Amino acid sequence: MEQLIFGKPVADNLDAESKKIFTNFTLNKRKPKISAITVGENPASMLYVSRKQEKADELGVIFDWNKYPASITQKQLETHINEISNNTDGLIVQLPLPDHLNPAEVINCIPPEVDVDGLTSVNLGKLFSFNYQIIPATSLAVLEMLKFYSIETVDKNVVIAGRSRLVSAPLAKILSSKKFNANVTVIHSYTSNQKLFIQNADIFISAVGSAKIFDQAYFKKGSTVIDIGISTVDGKTYGDVDPTGLVDYLSFRAPYPGGVGPVTVSALFYNLAKLIN
């Protein structure tokens, strides 16, 4: 019998931990502050940042939203990042950025000590030295879900679909470490037989962003499926996984919506708490 694993109780746990640190920080110094940068008026970006603003209000964190026009130059944006970084405890640059901007260079302008997304080359590099303090929020959300629901990873075959620096790279490294001891495979658009890999997975994590591309035929009976991908078709949003026929087929499934999503924003603020603690 498939057990749907929802993100809300996991997020609540992270929020409780973060709030203790924020309250103590406020008592001893001042209210913690997180800053966000958006470029242009991408509707999805505006929605995501609005959710982060709501979470900041809930946790007693000052939220500083800096909005810039899509016409801003690379140099201008980097100058603003340098200025904002000097007066905040955490800084987010909401992706995607307009095509004329180089996202990797923009992200690497953020000082590692305020990089709450954990996406600078310095913080990503620390994941490979096991000297890391923070984990990119979406990856951390998946790890917290696995831990909360006691899903075993030791000697389990984990397949991750997609190869972004936000999800697959951090997850592949951490899940294959001695802390989790999983056997990790990353598949992508050039993988010739994706179904063969997925059918061998004890845990399948999808971060592709293409509506319902994986159905029951892809999954091993009794496996765990975590759906991170989000895509929009005809004004409606979908995950990567088609849930048809999965109720009596899987052991665990983190669905879209309601699965990893609610944990991701809480994971971001958990990272902020670790940076200021």
Side-chain angles (χ1 to χ4, degrees):
M1 183 71 175
E2 176 195 54
Q3 179 185 345
L4 291 180
I5 53 175
F6 293 105
K8 188 178 184 308
V10 187
D12 289 344
N13 267 12
L14 288 179
D15 288 346
E17 291 297 315
S18 299
K19 192 149 190 176
K20 289 177 189 175
I21 294 170
F22 295 149
T23 299
N24 188 58
F25 190 84
T26 301
L27 288 172
N28 288 287
K29 294 183 180 179
R30 53 174 171 76
K31 272 193 171 187
K33 178 180 178 181
I34 191 167
S35 299
I37 289 175
T38 53
V39 179
E41 296 289 333
N42 181 298
S45 293
M46 295 296 153
L47 176 62
Y48 295 150
V49 176
S50 294
R51 288 176 179 167
K52 292 167 186 174
Q53 185 174 37
E54 291 169 2
K55 183 63 70 175
D57 293 341
E58 178 187 328
L59 296 177
V61 174
I62 296 170
F63 195 85
D64 170 42
W65 190 344
N66 301 270
K67 302 176 183 179
Y68 299 110
S71 59
I72 195 171
T73 67
Q74 183 89 16
K75 185 175 181 180
Q76 288 171 331
L77 182 55
E78 290 178 3
T79 298
H80 287 305
I81 289 172
N82 289 331
E83 292 170 350
I84 294 167
S85 296
N86 292 324
N87 189 36
T88 194
D89 299 302
L91 177 58
I92 310 154
V93 176
Q94 186 65 45
L95 302 176
L97 295 171
D99 290 342
H100 68 282
L101 299 174
N102 184 317
E105 290 182 5
V106 168
I107 293 299
N108 279 325
C109 281
I110 302 172
E113 62 270 18
V114 297
D115 171 30
V116 290
D117 268 328
L119 295 180
T120 60
S121 294
V122 170
N123 282 329
L124 284 176
K126 286 182 178 179
L127 295 177
F128 289 79
S129 69
F130 302 107
N131 186 32
Y132 57 86
Q133 183 180 14
I134 59 172
I135 299 169
T138 304
S139 297
L140 178 58
V142 172
L143 296 172
E144 291 293 328
M145 294 272 293
L146 292 172
K147 182 172 73 173
F148 184 89
Y149 288 101
S150 301
I151 296 171
E152 184 60 68
T153 59
V154 176
D155 198 30
K156 300 300 182 183
N157 294 327
V158 177
V159 174
I160 305 171
R163 48 183 170 182
S164 73
R165 64 189 286 169
L166 285 81
V167 182
S168 59
L171 276 179
K173 182 58 185 172
I174 295 170
L175 285 171
S176 61
S177 72
K178 289 183 178 180
K179 185 174 181 180
F180 291 91
N181 292 300
N183 313 310
V184 182
T185 302
V186 176
I187 62 173
H188 44 76
S189 57
Y190 283 83
T191 303
S192 58
N193 192 342
Q194 295 184 358
K195 184 179 286 189
L196 182 66
F197 287 97
I198 300 170
Q199 286 175 333
N200 193 45
D202 300 301
I203 301 171
F204 174 58
I205 302 167
S206 185
V208 176
S210 189
K212 296 185 176 182
I213 55 171
F214 301 117
D215 59 20
Q216 186 200 59
Y218 280 82
F219 309 132
K220 179 167 76 172
K221 188 173 178 62
S223 62
T224 293
V225 173
I226 298 176
D227 191 358
I228 302 174
I230 303 171
S231 56
T232 302
V233 179
D234 297 329
K236 295 183 179 180
T237 55
Y238 300 92
D240 292 344
V241 174
D242 182 348
T244 305
L246 298 182
V247 172
D248 295 314
Y249 193 77
L250 300 178
S251 291
F252 298 96
R253 179 167 64 92
Y256 174 82
V260 174
V263 191
T264 303
V265 175
S266 294
L268 181 80
F269 283 87
Y270 188 69
N271 279 344
L272 176 65
K274 285 194 281 187
L275 287 174
I276 67 172
N277 194 20

